[in-house]
Amino acid sequence: MQESRHVFINQGLEFVLGMTLQEISILEVGFGTGLNAWLTAKHIQGISTPVKYISLESFPLEESTWLKLNYASDDLERELFASIHKAKWNETVTLQPGFELTKLHTTLQEANLQPSTFNLVYFDAFAPEKQPEMWLPAVLEKVVVAMKPGAVLVTYCAKGQVKRDLKSLGLTVESPPGPPGKREMIRAFKP
Ligand SMILES: C[S@@+](CC[C@H](N)C(=O)[O-])C[C@H]1O[C@@H](n2cnc3c(N)ncnc32)[C@H](O)[C@@H]1O
């Protein structure tokens, strides 16, 4: 929770909210437990910028698994978390005013992503040592192509090779401080 808040919400969403866009389109690679989607939906409550959140997941969790997750601290938060999980795969639903969610049951490699679509990417794949195929330049390129000019990509990963690959794909790469216990993370911009 602390890592997600730092990397995706504080260094990603907050940064893009500061750009005062008409609307923010977010691509998440790896829906997982739904934590980032839930933190994002909570964060934008009371903010006037609408958010479209598209999340890719190859192996959705079973209900019996996500029901055991205990991120919420009150009933409203629990309801929001459940509504994110109960949203049908491959359909777009409005879960609260200004928060539209589309969960796509697909791999990043197979996903059909339109070019120049997203203002913000949460790249939350498993680490390169665990799942190197997610970090191949050709796979990263697919994400970069789907980013709008001026868009931002954030990831907890701070590996030199990933930075070099993002640079060679034309992004400007920064290394803000990482979450507690990690020196750096990556935030990259599409010119
Ligand atoms: C670090 S977890 C994501 C955590 C998640 N963002 C959250 O808020 O809980 C990485 C996720 O990527 C998914 N994944 C693995 N291979 C994938 C692929 N080829 N395309 C899309 N998602 C993939 C995994 O199943 C896993 O749920």
Side-chain angles (χ1 to χ4, degrees):
M1 176 110 67
Q2 197 177 36
E3 177 170 307
S4 282
R5 278 220 177 92
H6 177 84
V7 173
F8 302 106
I9 305 300
N10 298 342
Q11 298 289 347
L13 180 59
E14 266 296 309
F15 188 85
V16 172
L17 280 168
M19 295 173 169
T20 57
L21 302 168
Q22 295 278 314
E23 138 181 314
I24 298 175
S25 184
I26 301 177
L27 172 68
E28 177 177 44
V29 177
F31 174 77
T33 68
L35 174 61
N36 291 340
W38 179 73
L39 288 174
T40 301
K42 284 199 315 143
H43 194 81
I44 58 151
Q45 285 168 350
I47 288 176
S48 57
T49 316
V51 169
K52 291 187 173 176
Y53 194 102
I54 290 94
S55 188
L56 312 179
E57 176 57 57
S58 48
F59 301 107
L61 291 181
E62 300 285 340
E63 183 171 7
S64 55
T65 305
W66 65 255
L67 274 174
K68 288 187 197 133
L69 296 169
N70 202 14
Y71 297 135
S73 53
D74 62 36
D75 285 347
L76 276 180
E77 289 192 351
R78 249 182 298 283
E79 270 170 39
L80 178 62
F81 188 69
S83 71
I84 286 170
H85 277 281
K86 286 181 178 165
K88 290 215 168 88
W89 289 93
N90 308 316
E91 286 184 20
T92 298
V93 286
T94 301
L95 290 185
Q96 68 185 28
F99 185 74
E100 205 180 88
L101 174 68
T102 312
K103 297 187 298 182
L104 297 176
H105 184 183
T106 179
T107 62
L108 169 59
Q109 293 85 340
E110 286 171 349
N112 177 19
L113 301 178
Q114 298 304 308
S116 203
T117 303
F118 299 100
N119 306 105
L120 174 61
V121 176
Y122 294 166
F123 201 86
D124 201 11
F126 289 131
E129 306 79 56
K130 292 197 181 126
Q131 220 187 345
E133 72 273 19
M134 298 299 284
W135 303 84
L136 293 173
V139 175
L140 294 174
E141 183 177 22
K142 183 170 182 174
V143 173
V144 172
V145 169
M147 292 166 71
K148 286 186 172 166
V152 177
L153 177 149
V154 278
T155 179
Y156 64 88
C157 175
K159 278 198 103 169
Q161 188 59 52
V162 174
K163 288 184 196 169
R164 287 190 288 279
D165 289 339
L166 290 172
K167 275 186 198 153
S168 67
L169 290 167
L171 301 193
T172 305
V173 176
E174 299 187 326
S175 306
K182 290 191 180 165
R183 202 162 57 88
E184 291 181 347
M185 55 170 278
I186 291 176
R187 180 163 63 196
F189 304 85
K190 185 164 174 174

